[in-house]
Amino acid sequence: MGSAVTHAPALEGRADPEPRHGPVKSPRPAELKRRGRRENLAGYLFMSPWIAGFLLLTAGPMVASLYFAFTDYNLFDAPRWIGLDNFSEMFGDPRWRHSVRITLWYVVVGTPIKLIAALGVALLLAQKRRGQAFYRAAFYAPSLIGASVSVAIVWKAIFSDDAVVDRTQQLFGIDAGGWTGDPELIIYSLVALTVWQFGAPMVIFLAGLKQVPRELYEAADVDGAGKLRQFWNITLPMISPVLFFNVLLETIHSFQIFSSAYIVGGGAGGNACGPADGTMVYTCYLYVQGFENSRMGLASAMAWMLLVAVALVTAVLFWSQKRWVHYEEGGR
Amino acid sequence: MQQGGNAERQAGRRTILKAAGASLAVAGLGATATACGGGSGSGDGTVTIRYSWWGAEDRAERINKTIALFEKKYPKIKVKTDFQPYTDFWKKFNTQASGGNPPDVFQNAIGFLRKYDAKNVLLDLSGQVDAGNLSMDGFRAGLEKFGEIDGKLLGVPVGSNSMALVIDKPVYTRAGNKPEQGWTWDDFDEAMTKVRDRTGRAGDSGMYGVMYLYDLYLRQNGKAFFTEDGLGFTEADLTTWWTKAEKGVKSGLFADAKKVAQIKPKSALSAELAGSEFTWDNFTVRYTSEGKSEYGLAPIPTTDGKRTGQYLGSLMLSGYKRTEHPKEVAQFIDFMVHDPEVAKIMGYDRGVPTTQAQYDAYRPTDPVNKAIAAYEESLVEAGVLEQITPHPNGADICEAAFLRIAEEMALGSRSVEEAVEQFFTESKTALAG
């Protein structure tokens, strides 16, 4: 990122202040150097709020938290260096292992369903028909409001005992008694919540679908390929870069699930995240250790584990893209 | 498209950084919270103190009225308030306190005294008592000693309460139950069975997770939940308690834990899932506003027909050790526990007033508060009140773990054996810290 910002602003092309008057004279090297320095200085000056913010709010805390990860730190007493104890405690803690399991489950189940829903609706909305703009807006709306606490509260109400979902189930003779009180079922309501918010990847899919050249379909039609065949052999490969982007983004996003788990799962009372830790996802447990049990050292160690895990998953995804992501020959 | 690929890669990387930043911000909070401290005095000698407490809207209204009264009497002191529900309160307080910026005066409870004393957060008010800014005279039966730990006055009790069995009166009547002082656990089991069989409702909402009730049961048997630095019972004790509970859950004596979880923060009693609930006696006020039925108080069952193990619990007011205005904090606390007008406004919202002056000033006229007063008087008459057992540092985490793990057991996601083991593992960590 550093190299991108040290470039002088894009004024170099018109270095001469008055090019129309007389022949273009190239400035002397010393003057050029001085001007370059001045421009650099201005650049840094304009960027200083961002740099300060980065150092103070991102880099500083990161370094601090890396240090805390190897300490016993309860916020009140000075951090005490304990080496890798936090990490070994983590792996030995059945609650931690439970949170890892439930998070992985959420990522592996939730992300594909969400992407399939997004792609499915994008395919429908890519066709020209009346009221298209309305449908696009309607399907996109949930992901705009989706991150809010209020939606999670509404969600909890919908899936509670004797609420809409429970009553609908009862119509079909299934008496499960609401999802949010059931440690096994409550996580499904979170999956439903994330799937419902497929708007953002959908918009990206829509843009990708627009890029697919019509000629390919026309040629396929001539060759007698059916719709399904066209989807598999033209649409999917052509949008695979977009698909890759969505998979990457949504996977990372899923790993970070917190607010919906915390709120749908309770947030108050004896249990921070769901009945019998039903929605105790990784970040929830991190929060509990940090803020309820005042174990900031352990919470920091957990945060770094998450970072490493997400980095690994991202690396695997990038490695895999050679096999299934098709960029146009030669590129543009 | 190649370029698109690069941009995506970058976006991906940026998201990872963001991910890292977000999770790491957790650690950063400790550092940033230090920014704004004290400095609340102004030119004309007026000082502002910050007061925070846990509770809900109805308590907020009453408290604001008492503060208006205080500011009228002490025009040079302004009070800024802040409140959250119980669990959120402690999260916020913890963060503020670790950053050196807690409120000057705040609501407190027995389970937190040692914890925050060990962390150097609590003001020893005895100096202010000596200076005459705070009076510890006129407290009812032994309550003035309530906030004393290791010779330090760390909190002043503002309301006292005791554990009770809150019952849905019509349901209990229909079931034919007449609980009396001195009834035994067997009598209670029988009462629960009658409620289940005759009214179709569970007998109790889930007492197996209430730490304070289990403490009473242990005390009846010569033990206690806590010793000064650890747990006062064995794994075998807890196995017996939870094995009985598991049977009760399966046979419908206890409310369905799934349903109880879903109606939170409403109680299972006011949601009509159970006929009774063990809790603090002043909660009757809350249940009455929450539910539709009529709620009353029954005594704690006993083991030997006499001893209940009960003691008075209490909400307290504490000060911050490094407050810039210890004198004003003491004056504020003094006003809140002694002024008769305050008692008239607060009623029994925080429990029964702790000073005789306030106790006399508020004579309840409504049936609910009358019942609470009668209940506490009956405890004094029966002579069952004892001294509280001390709560060690980490007690609050043990309490939360007890509640959570009991719920897991009731929901069937842990066997009794696993639950007991898990609780002892977690408590060991909490009490060691």
Side-chain angles (χ1 to χ4, degrees):
Chain A
M1 241 173 222
S3 68
V5 296
T6 48
H7 275 304
L11 291 166
E12 275 151 332
R14 26 195 179 107
D16 199 308
E18 290 169 311
R20 277 169 297 170
H21 295 212
V24 177
K25 237 179 10 181
S26 57
R28 278 170 302 158
E31 195 188 335
L32 201 68
K33 224 178 184 175
R34 189 151 30 90
R35 194 181 297 159
R37 221 181 290 136
R38 228 183 14 239
E39 280 174 356
N40 272 348
L41 193 71
Y44 282 124
L45 204 67
F46 277 112
M47 291 209 350
S48 58
W50 185 87
I51 294 175
F54 173 76
L55 289 178
L56 270 165
L57 301 175
T58 309
M62 273 183 82
V63 172
S65 113
L66 184 58
Y67 169 65
F68 291 147
F70 298 98
T71 64
D72 182 14
Y73 181 43
N74 66 7
L75 283 175
F76 290 89
D77 307 315
R80 190 168 55 86
W81 186 267
I82 53 168
L84 291 172
D85 283 8
N86 281 329
F87 293 91
S88 57
E89 183 185 340
M90 223 188 278
F91 293 119
D93 176 4
R95 251 185 127 190
W96 181 82
R97 291 200 297 266
H98 169 78
S99 78
V100 168
R101 260 197 307 276
I102 207 161
T103 310
L104 285 177
W105 187 90
Y106 175 81
V107 171
V108 169
V109 174
T111 314
I113 301 181
K114 183 178 189 176
L115 289 176
I116 289 168
L119 182 57
V121 175
L123 284 170
L124 290 175
L125 293 182
Q127 294 156 21
K128 273 215 177 327
R129 56 183 55 172
R130 222 152 19 121
Q132 195 195 39
F134 168 77
Y135 288 119
R136 284 184 184 175
F139 280 110
Y140 186 62
S143 55
L144 277 181
I145 54 171
S148 74
V149 167
S150 51
V151 169
I153 292 172
V154 171
W155 211 255
K156 185 179 182 179
I158 292 175
F159 283 92
S160 280
D161 188 29
D162 216 24
V164 184
V165 173
D166 190 26
R167 286 190 186 192
T168 313
Q169 280 176 178
Q170 283 169 19
L171 289 182
F172 296 97
I174 311 163
D175 193 7
W179 297 22
T180 53
D182 190 317
E184 307 286 320
L185 280 179
I186 187 167
I187 192 76
Y188 289 93
S189 68
L190 292 189
V191 169
L193 179 58
T194 182
V195 170
W196 179 63
Q197 296 162 2
F198 61 67
M202 178 196 77
V203 167
I204 295 167
F205 276 134
L206 265 174
L209 288 171
K210 284 254 156 99
Q211 299 274 317
V212 183
R214 304 268 65 157
E215 307 93 74
L216 293 179
Y217 293 110
E218 283 157 18
D221 264 336
V222 172
D223 287 345
K227 284 282 172 213
L228 203 63
R229 187 77 198 234
Q230 290 184 12
F231 175 75
W232 276 115
N233 289 358
I234 301 173
T235 313
L236 263 190
M238 289 304 286
I239 64 162
S240 60
V242 172
L243 183 62
F244 174 69
F245 176 74
N246 272 336
V247 168
L248 191 65
L249 227 58
E250 290 304 324
T251 306
I252 293 171
H253 194 70
S254 297
F255 269 107
Q256 293 170 291
I257 175 188
F258 175 73
S259 53
S260 56
Y262 186 68
I263 290 160
V264 176
N271 232 325
C273 290
D277 287 351
T279 62
M280 184 60 92
V281 291
Y282 196 87
T283 51
C284 248
Y285 194 43
L286 194 156
Y287 177 84
V288 166
Q289 288 289 20
F291 288 94
E292 283 181 9
N293 299 350
S294 305
R295 304 197 59 196
M296 280 296 164
L298 184 60
S300 296
M302 286 180 69
W304 279 92
M305 275 310 291
L306 180 63
L307 178 76
V308 169
V310 171
L312 271 178
V313 169
T314 311
V316 168
L317 281 174
F318 269 105
W319 170 80
S320 77
Q321 74 166 331
K322 274 180 258 143
R323 290 157 193 275
W324 61 277
V325 180
H326 305 276
Y327 294 107
E328 266 177 75
E329 287 293 317
R332 263 182 287 177
Chain B
M1 271 312 216
Q2 197 58 55
Q3 200 148 25
N6 273 333
E8 284 154 29
R9 216 162 289 160
Q10 251 179 20
R13 220 173 282 150
R14 223 173 291 139
T15 321
I16 301 165
L17 283 175
K18 234 163 67 186
S23 36
L24 295 168
V26 166
L29 277 173
T32 49
T34 43
C36 39
S40 46
S42 71
D44 59 349
T46 307
V47 301
T48 303
I49 55 173
R50 282 158 55 217
Y51 170 36
S52 67
W53 45 272
W54 67 82
E57 278 304 324
D58 57 329
R59 185 176 287 175
E61 270 171 41
R62 292 170 199 258
I63 283 187
N64 285 340
K65 275 187 211 161
T66 62
I67 285 170
L69 215 61
F70 174 75
E71 289 180 335
K72 217 160 104 192
K73 198 171 169 200
Y74 293 89
K76 291 229 180 278
I77 307 175
K78 293 268 167 284
V79 182
K80 248 171 71 181
T81 60
D82 181 21
F83 71 96
Q84 283 88 31
Y86 182 71
T87 44
D88 298 331
F89 174 90
W90 289 110
K91 278 174 211 156
K92 182 169 180 180
F93 181 84
N94 217 11
T95 316
Q96 285 179 326
S98 62
N101 188 38
D104 298 286
V105 55
F106 50 94
Q107 194 165 303
N108 206 345
I110 188 79
F112 298 90
L113 284 187
R114 265 176 211 278
K115 173 176 181 166
Y116 286 109
D117 182 39
K119 296 181 189 330
N120 272 319
V121 174
L122 300 181
L123 177 69
D124 181 0
L125 287 158
S126 50
Q128 294 298 323
V129 175
D130 297 340
N133 295 322
L134 169 64
S135 159
M136 288 308 285
D137 297 331
F139 280 83
R140 295 191 294 124
L143 280 165
E144 78 274 7
K145 294 271 179 234
F146 202 84
E148 267 189 30
I149 279 190
D150 308 333
K152 285 181 280 191
L153 182 60
L154 301 176
V156 179
V158 69
S160 76
N161 45 27
S162 191
M163 284 298 282
L165 178 65
V166 181
I167 58 171
D168 187 317
K169 265 180 159 171
V171 168
Y172 253 56
T173 314
R174 240 186 300 153
N177 290 330
K178 284 199 198 74
E180 277 167 7
Q181 192 78 45
W183 68 332
T184 63
W185 289 103
D186 291 338
D187 298 334
F188 173 68
D189 290 342
E190 205 188 309
M192 282 206 295
T193 314
K194 279 195 206 157
V195 169
R196 183 195 62 189
D197 296 346
R198 296 185 188 171
T199 71
R201 208 185 274 189
D204 182 89
S205 62
M207 63 181 204
Y208 42 80
V210 185
M211 181 194 86
Y212 285 99
L213 178 76
Y214 187 48
D215 186 28
L216 297 190
Y217 178 79
L218 288 168
R219 287 160 63 99
Q220 291 174 11
N221 293 287
K223 300 186 173 185
F225 201 97
F226 291 117
T227 63
E228 263 191 53
D229 52 5
L231 296 175
F233 59 99
T234 64
E235 303 194 14
D237 291 327
L238 188 55
T239 307
T240 314
W241 181 252
W242 277 348
T243 304
K244 193 180 165 194
E246 195 186 41
K247 269 189 211 138
V249 171
K250 285 198 178 125
S251 61
L253 286 183
F254 293 113
D256 181 353
K258 257 194 225 172
K259 297 201 170 185
V260 176
Q262 295 181 71
I263 46 123
K264 271 185 202 167
K266 206 175 176 183
S267 82
L269 180 62
S270 54
E272 305 192 347
L273 295 174
S276 63
E277 181 159 302
F278 285 100
T279 186
W280 299 101
D281 54 7
N282 61 320
F283 274 44
T284 325
V285 180
R286 189 190 120 191
Y287 294 166
T288 305
S289 69
E290 238 176 41
K292 282 179 270 190
S293 189
E294 193 189 333
Y295 303 95
L297 291 157
I300 298 289
T302 63
T303 303
D304 60 2
K306 282 193 222 85
R307 193 176 172 194
T308 62
Q310 273 170 293
Y311 45 82
L312 289 179
S314 177
L315 287 182
M316 285 175 275
L317 292 178
S318 292
Y320 172 47
K321 190 166 198 171
R322 284 187 282 276
T323 175
E324 289 175 22
H325 314 292
K327 182 182 161 203
E328 285 79 5
V329 164
Q331 286 172 326
F332 178 77
I333 296 175
D334 186 77
F335 178 83
M336 286 299 165
V337 295
H338 290 295
D339 194 285
E341 290 302 312
V342 170
K344 283 181 197 160
I345 295 167
M346 294 306 298
Y348 286 175
D349 181 85
R350 285 184 298 206
V352 177
T354 48
T355 54
Q356 196 61 44
Q358 287 199 340
Y359 183 76
D360 294 337
Y362 176 71
R363 287 278 173 221
T365 48
D366 63 297
V368 176
N369 281 311
K370 261 186 178 164
I372 297 172
Y375 178 74
E376 295 225 344
E377 265 159 33
S378 77
L379 294 182
V380 175
E381 269 168 36
V384 293
L385 288 178
E386 305 173 11
Q387 282 296 307
I388 190 168
T389 39
H391 284 193
N393 183 8
D396 55 324
I397 298 173
C398 290
E399 182 187 354
F402 192 75
L403 186 62
R404 189 190 77 242
I405 295 166
E407 189 188 30
E408 292 175 358
M409 183 270 301
L411 283 162
S413 59
R414 267 188 210 281
S415 69
V416 170
E417 195 179 288
E418 284 167 0
V420 171
E421 197 191 315
Q422 181 69 14
F423 174 74
F424 272 80
T425 311
E426 286 189 32
S427 314
K428 221 172 269 171
T429 316
L431 294 168

